[in-house]
Amino acid sequence: MTLAIRAARPGDLVAIQALLSSTGLPLQGVTEHLPHFHVAEQTGMLLAVAGLEVYATSGLLRSVAVAEEVKGRGVGSDLVRRVLAKADEDRLATLYLLTTTAADYFPRFGFVRIDRGSLPPELNASEELRGECPASAIVMRRSALSLPGEAHLAS
C-alpha cells in the first residue's frame, strides 16, 4: 500500500475534522493551526493526520489520528516522524503533547512524561490546554533533535 504524506491543505479540513471526530479527538483549534498539519492519503482518501500548534519556540503535537482500516501499518509513526522533522527544521526547541490513551506510544519519538505545571506559559493559548483535553491527560515533552535512533546534523 502506497500512502502519500504531505502538508495539509485548506481543502482537507472537512476530512480532517471527520477523522478527528471518528477517533474522539477535539476539533477546536484545527482551523487556526491547519498550516502545521500533515496528512497521509491514498487515492485521494485521507487516512491519517497529525498536527502541530506553534507558540514561539515551543510546539504542541496534537490530533494524531489514523483511520481504522490502516491502523497497525506504521502510518501514524511515519506521520509523527514527518511532523517532528518539520518541527526540528523550524527550530522549535521543545515539543509537548497531551494524551489520554497513548502515553506508551510516544516515548519511541523521544517524549517523556512531565508534570502539567511544567508547561511553558505560551502554551496557555492552546485550546487543548484550556479545557478541550481533560485535566487527567498525561503531559509529555520532547526536546529538539532528540528522536531516538536518528542522526541529526548539528548547526
Side-chain angles (χ1 to χ4, degrees):
M1 161 157 55
T2 303
L3 287 172
I5 295 178
R6 61 170 175 78
R9 300 178 207 135
D12 297 324
L13 183 59
V14 171
I16 289 170
Q17 291 173 326
L19 182 56
L20 294 177
S21 290
S22 74
T23 58
L25 293 174
L27 303 179
Q28 290 75 9
V30 172
T31 303
E32 295 82 357
H33 298 281
L34 190 63
H36 300 286
F37 275 59
H38 282 75
V39 298
E41 70 175 352
Q42 181 180 34
T43 59
M45 179 179 283
L46 192 136
L47 296 171
V49 62
L52 186 66
E53 294 185 16
V54 176
Y55 300 98
T57 61
S58 298
L60 182 69
L61 179 65
R62 61 161 296 171
S63 303
V64 178
V66 178
E68 201 59 47
E69 61 264 31
V70 293
K71 278 189 178 176
R73 298 184 186 175
V75 177
S77 293
D78 290 347
L79 204 47
V80 168
R81 281 189 188 91
R82 174 70 61 92
V83 172
L84 296 180
K86 179 68 173 136
D88 286 344
E89 180 183 305
D90 291 345
R91 299 191 183 281
L92 294 180
T94 311
L95 296 181
Y96 299 88
L97 65 82
L98 295 103
T99 183
T100 57
T101 61
D104 293 334
Y105 177 75
F106 288 102
R108 72 186 76 185
F109 303 105
F111 283 91
V112 295
R113 289 181 189 217
I114 63 166
D115 181 77
R116 195 175 187 118
S118 300
L119 288 167
E122 63 262 21
L123 290 185
N124 290 332
S126 173
E127 293 192 49
E128 294 256 327
L129 294 174
R130 291 190 319 228
E132 290 308 316
C133 201
S136 61
I138 293 168
V139 180
M140 302 182 86
R141 175 182 62 216
R142 173 189 178 266
S143 296
L145 306 178
S146 65
L147 189 56
E150 289 193 11
H152 294 278
L153 298 175
S155 46

